[in-house]
Amino acid sequence: MGEEGRRMRIGELSARTGVSVRSLRYYEQRGLLTATRTTGAQRLYPEDAVDRVHLLRRLFDGGLSSETIAALLPCVDTPSGDITVRTLEVMRRERKRIDAQIAALLTTRDHLDALMAGAAAHLARQRDDALVPTA
C-alpha cells in the first residue's frame, strides 16, 4: 500500500503529533478530524491527519475555540468553494483578537524587562557593597 493509502491508528497519530489520544478523540467528536473505522471499531487516520492535527494545535494554541475552528476548516479543506462573508468575518475577528493579545504580551514583556533590569542593578549593588572592606 502506498504512502497516500497508509492508515494509522490513534496511538500512532498521538505519538507522531504529540497530542493526547483523548484530544484526538475530542477533535473527532467536534468534527475537526475524521477517521475511518475498522470492523473492530478501531479508528484509522490517513497520513495527512498529522498535518491536520498540527494545524488544529496551532489554532487552539492561538486561542481559537473548537466552534471557531470548525467554522474555518472549510476554507482549509476547499479554499475556493466554501468561503462565505461570515467565515471571512470570523477570520478577521480572530486576527484582531490575536493582534490585541500580541500587543498585551509585548507590553508585559517590556514591564518584565524593566523589572529584570532593576533586579540586576540591585544585585550588582549588593555585590559591590559586599566587596567594600569595613574598617
Side-chain angles (χ1 to χ4, degrees):
M1 189 179 301
E3 198 59 25
E4 296 163 358
R6 184 176 179 284
R7 301 273 177 195
M8 68 190 97
R9 292 187 174 154
I10 196 167
E12 182 182 350
L13 182 58
S14 173
R16 290 183 58 190
T17 59
V19 173
S20 72
V21 168
R22 182 178 179 185
S23 292
L24 295 173
R25 287 184 184 126
Y26 173 78
Y27 298 166
E28 187 178 349
Q29 177 188 23
R30 302 299 296 173
L32 307 176
L33 184 65
T34 57
T36 58
R37 301 287 180 139
T38 66
T39 53
Q42 290 184 333
R43 291 170 173 85
L44 293 176
Y45 296 93
E47 187 65 29
D48 63 0
V50 172
D51 292 334
R52 176 66 153 234
V53 171
H54 287 282
L55 171 64
L56 294 173
R57 282 304 335 140
R58 283 192 302 274
L59 295 172
F60 277 117
D61 289 348
L64 279 70
S65 69
S66 59
E67 293 81 13
T68 299
I69 293 170
L72 301 180
L73 284 179
C75 293
V76 173
D77 297 335
T78 53
S80 62
D82 290 328
I83 296 175
T84 65
V85 172
R86 184 185 176 318
T87 304
L88 186 57
E89 183 52 39
V90 168
M91 287 187 268
R92 286 181 178 140
R93 183 186 70 232
E94 288 301 318
R95 187 176 195 294
K96 190 174 185 178
R97 183 189 57 76
I98 290 169
D99 284 344
Q101 280 184 302
I102 290 169
L105 285 170
L106 289 172
T107 299
T108 301
R109 184 186 66 186
D110 291 345
H111 288 294
L112 185 57
D113 286 345
L115 290 171
M116 289 169 35
H122 175 73
L123 288 175
R125 282 191 303 276
Q126 282 182 328
R127 185 185 63 239
D128 292 343
D129 290 347
L131 295 176
V132 176
T134 56

